[in-house]
Amino acid sequence: MPPGVREELEVFIEMLKPDDLLNKARAVILNQVVGGWDLADGEDDDGDAVSAWRKADEMAQSVGRSLVKDSDVRAKFLPELLAVSHSNRAYECGLGLSEGDGDSWVMWGELVAAYKGIEDSVPNPAVLSGFISGVARFDRGEAGRILYAAVNDPDIMPLIPYLEARLGVDEVVISRLRRAINFGVDVWSFRYIANGSVSDSPSGPLAELLLDIAGMSGGVDVALDVLHMHFYSKRKAGEDVSGGLISVGRILLSRSGYGSDGRFCDFGAELLIDLCLEGGEGRIAAGIVCQRIRSLIDSYAVNSRDLVHTLTALFRVQPFIALDAFLLPDDSSDEGCLLSDELGVFAPCGGLDAVTLLQWANSDADSRYSILSSYLTMFDKNGDEDTGVSPIFMAVMEQSPDKKLFLGDFWDRIHPRSWSGTLLGDVLLRRKQHLLKLLEHSDENVREWLIENIPVLDRWVADERERFKEIEESFE
């Protein structure tokens, strides 16, 4: 908080009369209005930042309890609170509003009316969320009845998943959420339950809800987000996931747009693929997913560099299906998919061992070794520095029927794409030292490939150093 602002707030609060409830309420949220600060900013007198934060929460909750007793002040203050888009204390104030002796339905009606009355800004629903949470603590059934009725209000209906998430997504909540779908709730609002609220959701009802969400326009990736959070929570707790939900995951993964609408989470897809597409039961779905992603990449609907986790997981759990789908030509192309490790973003074969690669290549040695040579990198790296010729590259090359063809074009094999100037010369020199070991290789074609190209490499180094020298001299 800027110097002097905190002190001014504290002086302002000290000047308030004990019965001046409206000003006290305003003081609690005043710091939120001016920039999201807390009255308990930093540390309290004991040097405990957590304690200071809790005191601010308790202050806001106390204000809420006091507001229950004064309808005139409440009518003035609620619109002010709801109009603050990011007030950190609105939820706690809502909790306090639920703890008074007033009628929950009456208080809910006032909150809804105030919420609808906000015109010059986007109203903040956190106070409604806090109120529902507070009601549920004392009477979960009452909170459910309020939300059941709220579906009939077109202004509040978009908030239903957000509010229901506060109760925890159990079987009863799932029933109300499925009912909300029938009433036309926006599919994107279901992202509000893609959090800890679905950690302990019953698998059968959750599966039905996910399929309902997926049936909505744009709902597949929303359902995947919710399922990912459920699986993530189960794995974190060391619990098994439901076979029924794994089956639903296969359906959803087979239908996803994989980021073509900019909303799919690549990182989350990795866990879903690991759990849903592994083993014999996941083979068919994995094939569908791979072909779907290939089609999206080939049509430039998505970029493979935005699917690093997705592709890595597919090559890991179903390597032969992924190799077939992404590396082999298909009916629409004479080449494989547009995968590239040019900048080290994604090496499609980098996570596979030599045994797997050789098993795949040997099923059609005449074509598959040359295909693999296009995707395997020749040098292992530690960060940006080459550590030597890759053992996997060497193992596959040793079994190749034409080793010189496998080594391929010297420029493509040796020349890094992301370096220039003297740094490029240094990289090339290090690679030369690694390559010289191949002069002792037993195969004449390997030695010949190297002997033909070492002078070329030396010329590249000399050219880069001369070019860099000229650039330096131009600045003198």
Side-chain angles (χ1 to χ4, degrees), residues 27 32 39 44 52 143 148 277 287 306 309 367 412 419 427 436 439 455:
Q32 310 297 339
L39 293 178
D44 67 2
Y148 186 89
L277 301 185
D306 297 325
H309 293 281
S367 64
D412 290 336
W419 298 98
V427 172
L436 288 176
L439 288 173

Side-chain angles (χ1 to χ4, degrees), residues 132-366:
I132 287 295
S133 297
V135 172
R137 291 180 183 180
F138 298 100
D139 190 340
R140 187 176 177 85
E142 182 78 341
R145 287 187 287 273
I146 291 174
L147 292 178
Y148 186 89
V151 174
N152 296 299
D153 189 328
D155 294 311
I156 302 301
M157 185 174 62
L159 300 177
I160 292 298
Y162 168 71
L163 298 172
E164 292 281 12
R166 289 295 184 179
L167 276 62
V169 184
D170 60 13
E171 186 169 1
V172 175
V173 168
I174 288 174
S175 177
R176 289 199 297 267
L177 289 173
R178 296 184 70 191
R179 176 173 175 265
I181 292 176
N182 294 329
F183 275 72
V185 67
D186 187 344
V187 65
W188 300 113
S189 66
F190 281 97
R191 290 190 181 274
Y192 285 123
I193 65 171
N195 51 35
S197 65
V198 295
S199 299
D200 299 317
S201 298
S203 57
L206 180 60
E208 294 175 343
L209 174 63
L210 292 174
L211 291 174
D212 284 351
I213 295 173
M216 304 169 71
S217 177
V220 172
D221 288 351
V222 176
L224 280 168
D225 282 344
V226 176
L227 182 60
H228 167 258
M229 182 51 65
H230 178 79
F231 282 166
Y232 173 82
S233 300
K234 289 295 184 184
R235 174 172 280 190
K236 187 176 181 180
E239 301 174 4
D240 293 333
V241 298
S242 158
L245 285 173
I246 287 177
S247 296
V248 170
R250 293 187 189 120
I251 295 172
L252 298 178
L253 288 168
S254 299
R255 295 170 54 190
S256 173
Y258 291 95
S260 56
D261 61 0
R263 293 186 172 92
F264 188 73
C265 177
D266 174 48
F267 182 76
E270 185 169 12
L271 174 60
L272 293 172
I273 290 169
D274 281 342
L275 291 174
C276 299
L277 301 185
E278 66 176 352
E281 294 183 352
R283 286 178 57 82
I284 294 176
I288 296 172
V289 169
C290 287
Q291 290 298 333
R292 183 170 179 80
I293 293 176
R294 169 159 186 168
S295 176
L296 291 167
I297 293 174
D298 285 346
S299 63
Y300 299 96
V302 298
N303 191 311
S304 63
R305 294 181 184 176
D306 297 325
L307 298 177
V308 172
H309 293 281
T310 301
L311 292 168
T312 299
L314 287 169
F315 275 88
R316 180 173 60 247
V317 301
Q318 295 289 355
F320 299 115
I321 291 175
L323 287 166
D324 284 351
F326 293 108
L327 270 61
L328 295 180
D330 63 9
D331 295 338
S332 62
S333 173
D334 294 332
E335 300 179 349
C337 193
L338 301 173
L339 301 180
S340 174
D341 64 347
E342 183 177 288
L343 300 178
V345 177
F346 173 66
C349 305
L352 301 181
D353 56 57
V355 173
T356 300
L357 293 172
L358 289 170
Q359 185 178 345
W360 181 79
N362 285 329
S363 65
D364 185 1
D366 290 339

Side-chain angles (χ1 to χ4, degrees), residues 99-112:
E99 295 171 358
D101 297 329
D103 186 298
S104 298
W105 285 88
V106 173
M107 185 62 68
W108 174 255
E110 290 186 22
L111 286 170
V112 169

Side-chain angles (χ1 to χ4, degrees), residues 3-22:
V5 175
R6 177 187 173 93
E7 289 75 14
E8 290 178 10
L9 287 171
E10 290 175 340
V11 170
F12 170 66
I13 293 172
E14 288 295 325
M15 292 173 59
L16 295 176
K17 298 178 180 179
D19 60 348
D20 193 353
L21 177 58
L22 179 57

